[in-house]
Amino acid sequence: MTSLTRRTMLKALAATPAIGSAGAVIGMPLVARAAEYELKYGNNLPLTHPLNVRAQEAAARVEAESKGRVVIKIFPNNQLGGDTDMLSQVRSGGLTFFTPSALVIATLVPVAAINAVGFAFADYDQVWKAMDGKLGAHVRAAISKVGLHAFEKMWDNGFRQMTTSGKPIESAADMDGLKIRVPVSPLSIAMFKALSAAPASLQFSEVYSSLQTRIVDAQENPLPIIQVAKLYEVQKNCALSNHIWDGFWFIANGRSWKGLPPDLQTIVSNAINDAGVAQRGDIKALNQSVQADLTAKGLAFNQPSPDSFRAKLRDAGFYSEWKGRFGDEAWGLLEEAVGKLA
Ligand code: X2X
């Protein structure tokens, strides 16, 4: 963690209602008073990940700007269950907010996995142009159809990389039969099967222990997650494959969202979207610094060329199959951003 990140986090923590006496600060009696809207937000990542650091900032801002009317209580690190559990809680209203990865919300809204098509995005310029533009709007419209509200600014997970406990992955041939954990995501399963691997879907809450007990030999995640979840303790090699760009949709239960008066909706939206944009900057900075830290912790890196992976996916019919599944409109918007894929 950079000292800037640590400072930011401490500041955010100090402003959290559970710790500070926010009531006194904004001139209300010290006796705790229930907020008019107490909203729960659950996620699957450790507190030290930028997603949680920035979410705490957003919560503090919402409480201050709403003068204590809205309090967002954060449950990080799968405290409320894994992704599948949180997804059903946010649908029922037990949770107001959740940040599923695009891969995971796609179990409910299939088109949401469109950003995760293998080797589609070349860089962040392409990513944010698409996700802040027409492709993102297309996905948000689909999310709204299942009774969920998605905030405009997607948060960054990062480009996914593959780690192994055995030999390094130098090319697609090394994927043969590899027992690799992937998220609960139909696209991930299809993609790794097309690469001749043996993928297993597990919730993130189970990744560390499944690697430790060798239920699986490999996993794939962006470097900041490999760092904060300490996956380097149970993995030896990391191939910088950049095979999927993944982000988190900040979503709200539709009824709870509509139940907030418009002035409070504006406060919450602005705080969450601004925090999301700041969080993107954190991940970008981490991507540049984290590899040295992981190397020092014993993870060995290599950088395979994407060519053999792309060729294998193409030969297996992966792109044409998923073009059909996503449909021409969504696929067209993706290709508008990244060029011809299939
Ligand atoms: O489960 C994962 O691998 C993670 C943390 O990247 C997602 O949320 C998809």
Side-chain angles (χ1 to χ4, degrees):
M1 196 176 4
T2 64
S3 61
L4 179 70
T5 309
R6 186 175 294 120
R7 264 205 314 277
T8 313
M9 187 172 73
L10 288 175
K11 233 171 58 194
L13 278 174
T16 300
I19 294 168
S21 53
V25 174
I26 60 174
M28 293 199 305
L30 266 173
V31 180
R33 236 182 51 177
E36 213 173 314
Y37 299 94
E38 196 171 298
L39 311 178
K40 289 201 226 166
Y41 162 44
N43 67 64
N44 64 358
L45 295 181
L47 257 184
T48 45
H49 190 276
L51 173 127
N52 272 309
V53 176
R54 294 298 181 179
Q56 284 172 328
E57 283 181 6
R61 179 174 158 191
V62 165
E63 190 178 358
E65 290 184 3
S66 72
K67 307 210 172 10
R69 292 177 69 197
V70 183
V71 167
I72 298 175
K73 202 157 180 262
I74 305 175
F75 298 85
N77 212 15
N78 300 300
Q79 278 174 14
L80 301 178
D83 289 315
T84 312
D85 309 298
M86 287 188 280
L87 194 56
S88 70
Q89 288 165 33
V90 78
R91 293 188 76 192
S92 70
L95 257 181
T96 306
F97 303 112
F98 174 40
T99 37
S101 143
L103 290 165
V104 169
I105 196 174
T107 55
L108 187 63
V109 182
V111 76
I114 185 95
N115 62 263
V117 169
F119 302 96
F121 289 106
D123 55 37
Y124 273 113
D125 282 348
Q126 285 186 354
V127 166
W128 298 129
K129 237 171 112 182
M131 301 323 292
D132 289 339
K134 285 190 250 172
L135 188 63
H138 183 84
V139 173
R140 285 196 305 280
I143 292 174
S144 76
K145 292 205 175 104
V146 300
L148 296 167
H149 171 79
F151 292 94
E152 289 76 10
K153 297 291 177 183
M154 208 176 183
W155 293 42
D156 194 14
N157 190 357
F159 282 91
R160 300 181 78 92
Q161 321 292 358
M162 301 182 208
T163 66
T164 52
S165 56
K167 65 179 175 118
I169 297 166
E170 310 275 9
S171 76
D174 295 318
M175 302 299 295
D176 216 23
L178 183 68
K179 282 199 271 175
I180 184 167
R181 175 271 173 179
V182 297
V184 181
S185 149
L187 179 124
S188 303
I189 291 282
M191 178 169 155
F192 282 90
K193 278 192 177 154
L195 290 169
S196 304
S201 270
L202 292 170
Q203 305 197 85
F204 189 65
S205 48
E206 294 172 308
V207 172
Y208 187 98
S209 62
S210 64
L211 291 167
Q212 193 176 33
T213 57
R214 298 293 181 100
I215 289 170
V216 289
D217 297 318
Q219 69 84 43
E220 42 85 61
N221 252 299
L223 297 186
I225 288 200
I226 293 167
Q227 184 192 45
V228 297
K230 298 188 171 22
L231 301 184
Y232 53 82
E233 292 178 353
V234 287
Q235 294 284 270
K236 273 206 208 95
N237 292 292
C238 179
L240 295 169
S241 50
N242 292 308
H243 55 280
I244 281 174
W245 176 78
D246 188 19
F248 297 103
W249 283 110
F250 211 115
I251 58 169
N253 172 274
R255 281 185 312 276
S256 314
W257 180 246
K258 285 187 200 116
L260 270 188
D263 58 323
L264 296 180
Q265 281 184 351
T266 303
I267 289 173
V268 172
S269 274
N270 288 343
I272 287 178
N273 285 325
D274 289 353
V277 172
Q279 188 267 357
R280 296 175 183 181
D282 298 338
I283 296 289
K284 192 166 184 196
L286 269 183
N287 281 338
Q288 280 151 19
S289 65
V290 87
Q291 195 181 330
D293 179 58
L294 291 171
T295 304
K297 289 180 160 114
L299 199 63
F301 285 88
N302 67 295
Q303 183 131 34
S305 156
D307 296 347
S308 66
F309 297 89
R310 272 208 197 100
K312 186 144 188 186
L313 289 176
R314 201 166 288 134
D315 293 349
F318 172 79
Y319 293 105
S320 47
E321 185 196 332
W322 283 80
K323 179 182 178 178
R325 287 215 205 180
F326 287 128
D328 287 343
E329 189 185 352
W331 196 264
L333 292 173
L334 177 63
E335 287 192 332
E336 217 174 272
V338 305
K340 202 96 191 114
L341 284 165

